[in-house]
Amino acid sequence: MNGRLAEKIQEFSSTFDAARRVWDRRAGLTIDYQALGSKPFDAMMFFTMYAHERPFSNPRYPVAHRIAILKSIGASDTRDPGVNAKFANKYDEPGFPQAVWSDFKRLLGVANRDEETRERMEKYTKGPVYAILEKLRDEEEPNVVTFLTSMTLRDAYEFLKRIDGIGHKIAALFLRDARSYFGGWHNAENSDLCCVQPVDRWVRELAKKCWSNVNTSQDAEKIAGEIVRHCLEQEIDPIAFNKGAWLLGAHFQKLCGFFNIETTMRLSDTGTLNYEAMDRFAPSVLRKAIEALGKAEDTGEVYPL
């Protein structure tokens, strides 16, 4: 067990949070997360950042999703001052979900795609775009964040997983950040914290590096449960570990460049990422640099290459 590595990983959670604000600002979304409970359109835009996090998705999906909703409520931009009222007034109209879905497909040129692509989009993408709006209408609640945080964590997780196209990763990813940024489920049972521990290749790989007895061949929810158990045993925040693990794995080469890690130190002898290089990563230095980048982008001083 590499307890020191797990502690190091959790230190990058606040760095992830700083990066998240930059990514959301770039997408034209609000970074006033605490206000999501009173802003149903902004809450749905928050959801679009997660709805398409699957291997075969592409960067146009969340953008098309947002544009389709904007067109259906008669707005032009996510930052228009009246978007939340327009969404709240429109969401319960019977044809609203279908209008959003139709516009989404049109924007992506689905009619011109091959049959396999169309079937795949119907199976995996219609749920997060169309079905979620139907369910909110049926529940007479326009705000997806308010609706889900009114449930127990386990019930919210199972609700999302019942939507076609949403599995463990997307459900846990959305709920993890809703808990972090909106404040939901802080009294959840430890046994349910697997519901806010999304597992992807980076979390799986770093968990195995920290705790060699983690069985990474089992299904994602069981891996999540093992990670939570190990974190709690070491008094590590499971969510902080999860955020840090993803950031370090997904951005490892960029981080090596930022911290001037020698090229020969960036891969191990077996060709995997050389996590020993992380000893030279300083989370506070990185967080300050990301915050400075965010301010510079916001004032138009830099272009985000």
Side-chain angles (χ1 to χ4, degrees):
M1 179 175 66
N2 192 341
R4 189 178 64 81
L5 177 59
E7 291 174 2
K8 176 85 172 185
I9 289 169
Q10 85 165 336
E11 291 176 8
F12 283 86
S13 175
S14 61
T15 304
F16 173 92
D17 293 338
R20 174 62 199 262
R21 289 188 287 274
V22 172
W23 295 325
D24 283 358
R25 192 186 295 111
R26 286 177 181 175
L29 307 187
T30 182
I31 57 172
D32 183 8
Y33 304 118
Q34 288 296 313
L36 291 177
S38 61
K39 296 182 176 181
F41 173 82
D42 290 341
M44 183 54 65
M45 294 300 99
F46 185 71
F47 176 75
T48 66
M49 294 292 286
Y50 305 85
H52 308 283
E53 286 294 316
R54 55 180 59 83
F56 54 79
S57 184
N58 74 51
R60 291 188 299 155
Y61 282 22
V63 180
H65 194 168
R66 292 191 277 274
I67 293 173
I69 292 174
L70 283 167
K71 285 183 174 295
S72 296
I73 65 174
S76 61
D77 189 73
T78 56
R79 292 161 290 196
D80 284 357
V83 289
N84 285 285
K86 288 179 179 179
F87 183 85
N89 291 332
K90 196 82 172 177
Y91 89 101
D92 58 351
E93 292 185 4
F96 182 62
Q98 184 59 50
V100 172
W101 176 239
S102 296
D103 241 341
F104 176 80
K105 291 192 295 181
R106 181 187 60 78
L107 286 162
L108 295 169
V110 174
N112 300 320
R113 302 288 189 89
D114 60 83
E115 184 177 355
E116 182 181 352
T117 299
R118 293 196 301 271
E119 289 179 352
R120 190 169 63 220
M121 285 193 68
E122 193 81 15
K123 180 178 180 180
Y124 293 106
T125 311
K126 188 173 184 179
V129 176
Y130 171 89
I132 188 70
L133 293 172
E134 275 205 324
K135 291 182 181 298
L136 291 176
R137 183 192 63 204
D138 292 344
E139 296 293 336
E140 300 182 346
E141 172 54 71
N143 193 310
V144 65
V145 170
T146 299
F147 174 59
L148 289 170
T149 53
S150 70
M151 306 178 188
T152 67
L153 176 57
R154 175 62 69 171
D155 285 347
Y157 175 75
E158 296 298 341
F159 172 87
L160 286 174
K161 283 183 61 185
R162 285 194 293 272
I163 296 174
D164 289 343
I166 295 181
H168 165 79
K169 179 184 172 182
I170 290 178
L173 191 60
F174 179 71
L175 297 177
R176 182 198 70 186
D177 289 355
R179 173 176 162 133
S180 292
Y181 304 136
F182 186 68
W185 311 293
H186 282 292
N187 295 320
E189 298 290 334
N190 287 346
S191 58
D192 288 336
L193 292 181
C194 61
C195 301
V196 286
Q197 183 72 208
V199 175
D200 66 358
R201 60 171 294 194
W202 304 118
V203 172
R204 185 182 289 107
E205 186 173 320
L206 275 160
K208 189 70 172 179
K209 188 76 174 177
C210 293
W211 306 290
S212 59
N213 61 342
V214 171
N215 179 5
T216 54
S217 63
Q218 58 190 329
D219 71 68
E221 188 175 326
K222 290 180 179 178
I223 296 171
E226 285 197 41
I227 293 171
V228 168
R229 178 173 58 80
H230 281 296
C231 284
L232 294 177
E233 287 175 353
Q234 292 183 230
E235 298 184 347
I236 289 171
D237 179 352
I239 287 181
F241 174 84
N242 189 272
K243 291 178 181 178
W246 180 85
L247 181 73
L248 289 166
H251 291 262
F252 185 78
Q253 296 302 334
K254 291 180 181 178
L255 290 169
C256 284
F258 179 77
F259 287 109
N260 295 314
I261 304 299
E262 297 88 342
T263 302
T264 54
M265 282 285 292
R266 299 184 185 190
L267 290 178
S268 69
D269 290 340
T270 59
T272 58
L273 300 184
N274 181 17
Y275 291 117
E276 301 303 321
M278 289 196 316
D279 287 339
R280 289 160 57 184
F281 292 1
S284 62
V285 171
L286 181 63
R287 186 183 69 252
K288 289 177 182 177
I290 291 173
E291 289 170 348
L293 170 67
K295 290 177 182 177
E297 285 188 8
D298 204 31
T299 56
E301 296 176 39
V302 297
Y303 180 80
L305 286 175

